[in-house]
Amino acid sequence: MTQEEIFHAIDEVSEFNTQKVLQAMQEVRLSDAHFKTTSGYAYDDLARQTLDKLFAKIFKAEDALVRTQFVSGTHALATVLLGILRPNDKLISITGTPYDTMQTIIGYDVKQPVRGSLKDFGILYEELDLKRDGTVDFDLLEKTIDETATMVLIQRSRGYCLRPALSCKDIQKICAAVKQKNSNCICFVDNCYGEFVETVEPIEMGADICAGSLIKNIGGGLAESGGYIVGKKNLVELCSYRLTAPSLGSELGATLANPRTLFQGVFLAPHVTAQALKSACFAAKIFSDLGYPVFPKPDEIRHDIIQAIELGSAKKVCAFCQAIQKWSPVDSFATPEPWDMPGYDDQIIMAAGTFIQGASIELSADAPMREPFAVYLQGGVTLEHAKIAIKKAAQAVQSL
Ligand SMILES: *Cc1c(COP(=O)(O)O)cnc(C)c1O
């Protein structure tokens, strides 16, 4: 496919998803009355209730929990794990080693014991290696899933790993295979960076619950903070007791900031996700022309917004991130350096010259400082900005 054809396909998905969001907004009768803050216990908070309903409709889920009280995507994902799993239950990661912060929550195979992790609570854990080509090993899956499996973790996006992202079709196949071995096993999808990349989402493909961040795709660049959980009513309810307190659940929680940004962010999200996808294609083309291995390739169909570029040295990774930072609208004068970020085992360098701190739907680049020294680029609220910064990053890397 030519770049023009790819961009056209991206636009079609964006139009479809805009239609989906629009219809959901009509169905919940979104109005000015929902753009109000509340205080205290916030019983009957109209904004909170409507936002939950809206997300449930968009994701074709029974229920949703959308809150700025989630401090990050990791918090929303952890709420699913710690809200649903009980001592002696077993979690199985189907997609190899999970994203760095998820490993910390799970608490097995980390450099230091993690207090409050799943392991700490006596929850069992297994990990299925991916096949050599980075895809799910269905033979191993069928051998491993039995009646002792309580939940499987399915990570849609690649994370800090060069394996391909899962398509929603892949997710459907995984869920079907899991359910065939154990119909009670809960299929949980880490949906980070996947929202609106395709015309369908994990719940309609057979997942029971999924969660993600509001400062990635679905916040549309406007959401100021937060995360979401969508899925089966009973499961979302369990999560709500972990988020607030047993018996309080989702019926409390004040909307402290104007919720308009959350609603408008979702409205913009299909378009913004399309901008991010085009930015990723653009970067893939430039860096593959320069001879670097890129994942996905410029003309590949994408299933998340991440572009991995294997630069091969720490120096190049730093130069890349520093150039992205320098050509960002915020903190352009700052020079990012690798540091010990909370929740990560390896040092991470992160360029995020973003209006919302660390928002990775805005143009951002980061990398764990480890072999094979790949940088992970994502976001780009406008393709115009992304093009400028990516060209500068290419120059910086080439000048070394
Ligand atoms: C971003 C991300 C998370 C959550 O990270 P936060 O920075 O806490 O929002 C979890 N899993 C994957 C695959 C991610 O990309």
Side-chain angles (χ1 to χ4, degrees):
M1 282 210 276
T2 64
Q3 193 166 74
E4 203 177 324
E5 285 166 340
I6 292 166
F7 280 22
H8 180 71
I10 291 171
D11 286 336
E12 294 211 312
V13 173
S14 170
E15 186 173 333
F16 182 96
N17 286 326
T18 299
Q19 172 78 34
K20 190 189 324 188
V21 169
L22 193 59
Q23 192 179 332
M25 288 183 164
Q26 290 166 346
E27 285 172 11
V28 301
R29 301 172 64 85
L30 187 65
S31 88
D32 206 41
H34 299 124
F35 307 153
K36 301 270 188 301
T37 59
T38 55
S39 61
Y41 299 127
Y43 296 125
D44 303 314
D45 183 317
L46 213 53
R48 188 186 69 222
Q49 291 172 347
T50 307
L51 197 60
D52 286 353
K53 266 193 222 149
L54 181 72
F55 269 62
K57 282 188 188 295
I58 291 169
F59 284 93
K60 315 256 191 301
E62 290 174 11
D63 211 349
L65 202 55
V66 188
R67 295 290 183 282
T68 53
Q69 280 90 356
F70 284 124
V71 301
S72 66
T74 301
H75 183 195
L77 291 154
T79 303
V80 172
L81 295 175
L82 290 156
I84 295 174
L85 296 169
R86 300 289 179 267
N88 296 317
D89 279 354
K90 186 158 77 184
L91 173 72
I92 302 177
S93 168
I94 298 289
T95 38
T97 304
Y99 185 70
D100 299 53
T101 59
M102 300 304 289
Q103 290 176 46
T104 321
I105 294 163
I106 293 165
Y108 289 82
D109 299 324
V110 283
K111 285 175 188 160
Q112 282 173 356
V114 181
R115 298 171 78 192
S117 66
L118 296 190
K119 187 178 179 191
D120 204 18
F121 279 99
I123 294 158
L124 310 170
Y125 176 66
E126 266 181 53
E127 208 168 274
L128 300 193
D129 287 337
L130 294 166
K131 290 198 297 189
R132 274 203 152 164
D133 63 357
T135 61
V136 170
D137 190 335
F138 280 91
D139 291 335
L140 190 58
L141 186 155
E142 278 175 25
K143 272 191 216 130
T144 312
I145 305 291
D146 57 19
E147 63 289 350
T148 67
T150 316
M151 179 189 278
V152 294
L153 171 62
I154 305 163
Q155 186 180 304
R156 183 170 173 183
S157 170
R158 69 185 61 243
Y160 286 146
C161 166
L162 297 177
R163 67 137 167 119
L166 297 180
S167 69
C168 280
K169 262 232 161 75
D170 296 330
I171 291 173
Q172 184 175 40
K173 229 177 115 188
I174 294 168
C175 294
V178 169
K179 296 286 182 184
Q180 206 186 6
K181 297 294 291 185
N182 175 355
S183 59
N184 292 322
C185 183
I186 299 161
C187 293
F188 168 34
V189 175
D190 175 347
N191 207 30
C192 281
Y193 291 129
E195 302 92 351
F196 294 143
V197 173
E198 297 185 41
T199 55
V200 288
E201 297 291 338
I203 301 294
E204 55 199 296
M205 304 309 270
D208 298 296
I209 191 153
C210 80
S213 167
L214 295 188
I215 61 169
K216 294 181 180 172
N217 308 21
I218 196 140
L222 288 189
E224 292 183 45
S225 153
Y228 73 91
I229 297 170
V230 292
K232 295 251 165 73
K233 200 173 180 60
N234 168 47
L235 298 176
V236 174
E237 187 180 336
L238 283 173
C239 297
S240 76
Y241 299 143
R242 176 74 195 194
L243 168 65
T244 61
S247 91
L248 300 187
S250 61
E251 292 183 64
L252 283 80
T255 300
L256 296 173
N258 186 344
R260 179 187 52 77
T261 54
L262 300 182
F263 287 109
Q264 197 174 0
V266 177
F267 179 69
L268 295 179
H271 177 73
V272 169
T273 301
Q275 294 288 294
L277 285 167
K278 290 177 185 177
S279 304
C281 292
F282 181 80
K285 179 84 178 76
I286 286 200
F287 280 87
S288 77
D289 285 351
L290 290 175
Y292 295 98
V294 296
F295 311 90
K297 296 201 169 60
D299 55 358
E300 246 175 282
I301 301 280
R302 282 159 196 272
H303 301 296
D304 66 5
I305 64 165
I306 297 181
Q307 181 62 49
I309 305 164
E310 201 178 317
L311 294 173
S313 79
K315 239 171 110 182
K316 285 186 177 176
V317 163
C318 291
F320 183 102
C321 291
Q322 285 162 2
I324 294 290
Q325 182 78 34
K326 186 171 173 193
W327 293 92
S328 292
V330 181
D331 291 335
S332 57
F333 50 84
T335 306
E337 298 282 354
W339 66 296
D340 296 310
M341 269 178 76
Y344 293 82
D345 250 6
D346 289 299
Q347 282 209 324
I348 306 279
I349 184 165
M350 194 167 269
T354 54
F355 290 93
I356 306 293
Q357 190 191 88
S360 45
I361 186 59
E362 297 182 54
L363 188 71
S364 48
D366 33 66
M369 299 311 287
R370 62 178 181 234
E371 293 282 346
F373 293 102
V375 76
Y376 297 82
L377 177 83
Q378 65 271 315
V381 170
T382 75
L383 177 59
E384 295 85 339
H385 166 227
K387 277 179 160 174
I388 295 168
I390 290 162
K391 280 190 261 182
K392 294 291 183 187
Q395 281 169 12
V397 168
Q398 284 308 93
S399 71
L400 285 178

